[in-house]
Amino acid sequence: MDEKIEPVLAVIGHPVAGNPTQFALESALEQANVDCRVLSFDLNAEQLPIALNGMHAMSFRGVWIDPSCRDQISKDSNTTDQLHITGVDQSSPVEALRNAPESKSGDEPRSNWKAIAVRENTWTQLVRDQLERGGFSVQQVLIISADADVRKQLEQRLVAENQLAATESKQTIPPDKDASAKESTPDCPAGVEPQLESTLDRVVTVTSPDEITTTSLANVWLAVDGPASEIIDAFRRSTTPPGTVLVDLNENWDANDISVWERCKMDAGSNCITRWDIHAACLAKVVPQWLGAEVQVDVLREAMEEYLSV
């Protein structure tokens, strides 16, 4: 990167200790021969706006935002306005910021930072890819979360945006094919719409692993929160369709269940998608937006595994 000043990236959280993002980025950037400094900051709610304004003034290229700080940026319009953050979508938490170049047009609103949200598109793509490698598509999705709002919002987004449907199945099905599908689905009760590949309309939600039956039709399990050992035990003892994928959507790096998910990953292989699999894939998408350079997902993931194993 031919520049006089070394680019700088920031990782912010409260707390930020235990977050593998800085180490993963440093490892991947070094492997890619990209000259860049990565710094981590523990910022409380009062410090965050001041710090981000300072980072913009010092031309930090970008910021990764830990979940502990996302609500203040994503949901607090005063903070968003104060920091001149553009591109915020209320339905998607802001996971990163990119320093916005000064607008040459006086008509455009001031923008210090551009909001970046990639996580949901990333993990749904990982699930689709894993299912399609085995020749499968989504039959039913099981959401495990103790938070009723989280369950409802995630279900609504999955259904409305149809993110887990196979890529080639997202196009609208012609009416005659739709009718044919309904007539040829023997296990679909009268008056109930059958599941078509183009629509994700079978989502089951539970508050805890105790509610999961020993026979599950869901071939995508989304573990948003809850005890990892209990979720994984329920996954192992339940009879599930072939190729069922278990997804760890927790983003708590201090959780004691990291080692449990590591063992599950060793047992289930690529059918277990962990939080560090998702995080590595997200960072690989964001780095080019920050620096215009590519980094390897495998290097990011291996660095996180190394960091988390210490």
Side-chain angles (χ1 to χ4, degrees):
M1 187 172 291
D2 185 18
E3 292 199 8
K4 295 180 181 179
I5 301 176
E6 182 182 38
V8 182
L9 301 174
V11 179
I12 64 172
H14 186 60
V16 77
N19 190 312
T21 306
Q22 178 179 341
F23 182 72
L25 285 171
E26 289 173 338
S27 301
L29 292 168
E30 180 181 6
Q31 190 274 341
N33 293 317
V34 176
D35 185 24
C36 182
R37 183 69 59 87
V38 186
L39 305 172
S40 294
F41 300 93
D42 189 327
L43 302 173
N44 63 32
E46 293 181 358
Q47 296 168 330
L48 187 145
I50 301 169
L52 285 177
N53 276 330
M55 291 176 194
H56 177 263
M58 291 185 288
S59 300
F60 279 36
R61 290 294 191 87
V63 180
W64 181 265
I65 306 165
D66 183 80
S68 56
C69 291
R70 281 183 200 158
D71 279 356
Q72 185 176 357
I73 294 174
S74 302
K75 298 180 181 179
D76 185 348
S77 59
N78 290 331
T79 299
T80 303
D81 293 341
Q82 179 185 350
L83 295 173
H84 301 286
I85 301 173
T86 57
V88 177
D89 181 349
Q90 296 299 323
S91 65
S92 301
V94 179
E95 293 135 6
L97 299 173
R98 175 173 61 85
N99 203 327
E102 291 186 12
S103 172
K104 296 181 180 180
S105 170
D107 297 332
E108 294 182 14
R110 178 181 171 184
S111 175
N112 288 354
W113 299 101
K114 296 287 187 183
I116 300 173
V118 296
R119 190 169 185 270
E120 193 157 293
N121 285 337
T122 299
W123 67 255
T124 52
Q125 181 65 56
L126 291 174
V127 172
R128 288 198 305 270
D129 291 347
Q130 180 58 29
L131 288 172
E132 289 172 11
R133 274 193 290 270
F136 305 109
S137 59
V138 178
Q139 297 178 23
Q140 188 181 82
V141 176
L142 174 65
I143 299 174
I144 308 165
S145 175
D147 189 317
D149 289 337
V150 169
R151 293 195 307 272
K152 181 179 179 180
Q153 291 167 12
L154 180 53
E155 177 181 3
Q156 288 175 340
R157 290 198 306 273
L158 289 177
V159 173
E161 300 175 21
N162 203 21
Q163 292 183 351
L164 286 176
T167 305
E168 65 274 12
S169 303
K170 288 188 175 183
Q171 299 178 6
T172 304
I173 294 180
D176 56 339
K177 186 173 181 180
D178 187 286
S180 174
K182 291 181 182 180
E183 293 173 2
S184 60
T185 311
D187 58 349
C188 179
V192 177
E193 292 289 332
Q195 181 191 15
L196 302 177
E197 285 188 333
S198 63
T199 306
L200 180 62
D201 59 358
R202 290 184 180 176
V203 179
V204 177
T205 64
V206 297
T207 59
S208 73
D210 296 339
E211 300 175 31
I212 301 173
T213 60
T214 54
T215 301
S216 173
L217 297 177
N219 65 341
V220 176
W221 289 37
L222 305 179
V224 181
D225 52 52
S229 57
E230 295 179 20
I231 292 170
I232 293 168
D233 285 346
F235 181 73
R236 287 172 174 159
R237 69 172 180 264
S238 183
T239 302
T240 58
T244 296
V245 179
L246 174 60
V247 187
D248 167 26
L249 290 181
N250 198 318
E251 291 187 85
N252 183 2
W253 299 111
D254 292 329
N256 294 324
D257 58 17
I258 289 286
S259 60
V260 180
W261 282 107
E262 287 176 334
R263 290 193 295 273
C264 179
K265 182 75 174 178
M266 287 188 286
D267 293 341
S270 56
N271 277 34
C272 175
I273 299 175
T274 64
R275 67 195 72 175
W276 53 93
D277 291 324
I278 297 168
H279 193 42
C282 288
L283 291 177
K285 288 185 176 182
V286 173
V287 168
Q289 298 186 53
W290 284 335
L291 302 172
E294 303 283 340
V295 292
Q296 298 297 314
V297 174
D298 290 346
V299 177
L300 289 162
R301 182 170 53 245
E302 289 167 8
M304 289 183 200
E305 291 172 349
E306 178 185 346
Y307 182 93
L308 295 169
S309 66
V310 175

